[in-house]
Amino acid sequence: EPEVTQTPSHQVTQMGQEVILRCVPISNHLYFYWYRQILGQKVEFLVSFYNNEISEKSEIFDDQFSVERPDGSNFTLKIRSTKLEDSAMYFCASIGTGAQETQYFGPGTRLLVL
Amino acid sequence: AQSVTQPDIHITVSEGASLELRCNYSYGATPYLFWYVQSPGQGLQLLLKYFSGDTLVQGIKGFEAEFKRSQSSFNLRKPSVHWSDAAEYFCAVVLTGFQKLVFGTGTRLLVSP
């Protein structure tokens, strides 16, 4: 069964450093999402992406964040200058094009900012 | 405001007992409804979903959920809980197929021997 994959599974970085989280969505999907989950809290939407542009973004997704689909398979989330409060689990999700499609989630990347 | 509420933060159930996890939503229209499960340190796995039609939906791992429009609820049930069901359960909604998922705060299920 096709699945969403994410790399790395864990990343530790110093405050102020740039990080890039990578996702490979399901191959025939066209809508892509990033969510995050701060430890012990609920899953929060960050951004959605379709047709090579952002469809919607939350107030969390400020100028420090960017997304890109650099090729036909990868979907990346970049945090330019990490803050302590960026420490969280980041989930990528993708969805097909049917009217009743479901978002399928990757296993997540746990980011720890020191 | 649009919201998803899971009123129970923690629930403890004895193994073999039945389970019901509550979810209520507040939206102007009936959204699409989902239940996801998250085991410790793991990602989100879809248990079941409701888009339309039969209000009782069956999912994986023996779970089912019932949509009740009059109560704006989508409660998750399982007749007999197994120790492996211990996890965090999230209810989520979306208004249309491609919009963002809005998650509830989650219910942590503990299973006692």
Side-chain angles (χ1 to χ4, degrees), chain B residues 58-76:
Chain B
Q58 302 297 319
I60 62 171
K61 305 184 180 187
F63 285 92
E64 66 179 26
E66 185 173 14
F67 167 62
K68 293 185 177 179
R69 186 187 305 275
S70 61
Q71 299 178 18
S72 297
S73 69
F74 188 56
N75 294 348
L76 182 70

Side-chain angles (χ1 to χ4, degrees), chain A:
Chain A
E1 184 177 328
E3 57 183 22
V4 177
T5 60
Q6 291 184 243
T7 55
S9 58
H10 295 78
Q11 180 148 4
V12 181
T13 189
Q14 296 292 322
M15 188 171 55
Q17 294 297 304
E18 174 184 287
V19 296
I20 297 176
L21 309 183
R22 291 182 168 79
C23 169
V24 178
I26 294 173
S27 63
N28 61 346
H29 285 186
L30 297 178
Y31 293 80
F32 313 113
Y33 308 81
W34 283 102
Y35 295 81
R36 80 172 186 189
Q37 183 184 30
I38 295 172
L39 188 64
Q41 298 185 22
K42 69 177 179 180
V43 179
E44 302 174 288
F45 168 77
L46 290 177
V47 65
S48 59
F49 190 86
Y50 171 70
N51 200 26
N52 284 319
E53 61 182 27
I54 291 174
S55 306
E56 184 181 359
K57 59 183 181 179
S58 71
E59 59 275 11
I60 303 169
F61 195 88
D62 62 21
D63 292 343
Q64 293 299 313
F65 291 88
S66 63
V67 289
E68 190 178 32
R69 187 155 164 83
D71 53 42
S73 59
N74 289 285
F75 179 50
T76 63
L77 174 69
K78 181 191 292 186
I79 309 175
R80 289 190 182 82
S81 179
T82 51
K83 306 181 182 69
L84 297 176
E85 55 265 36
D86 293 328
S87 295
M89 179 77 96
Y90 288 82
F91 292 107
C92 172
S94 70
I95 193 170
T97 56
Q100 296 185 347
E101 288 288 352
T102 301
Q103 289 186 34
Y104 289 95
F105 284 78
T109 293
R110 183 167 295 284
L111 176 65
L112 178 61
V113 182
L114 302 176

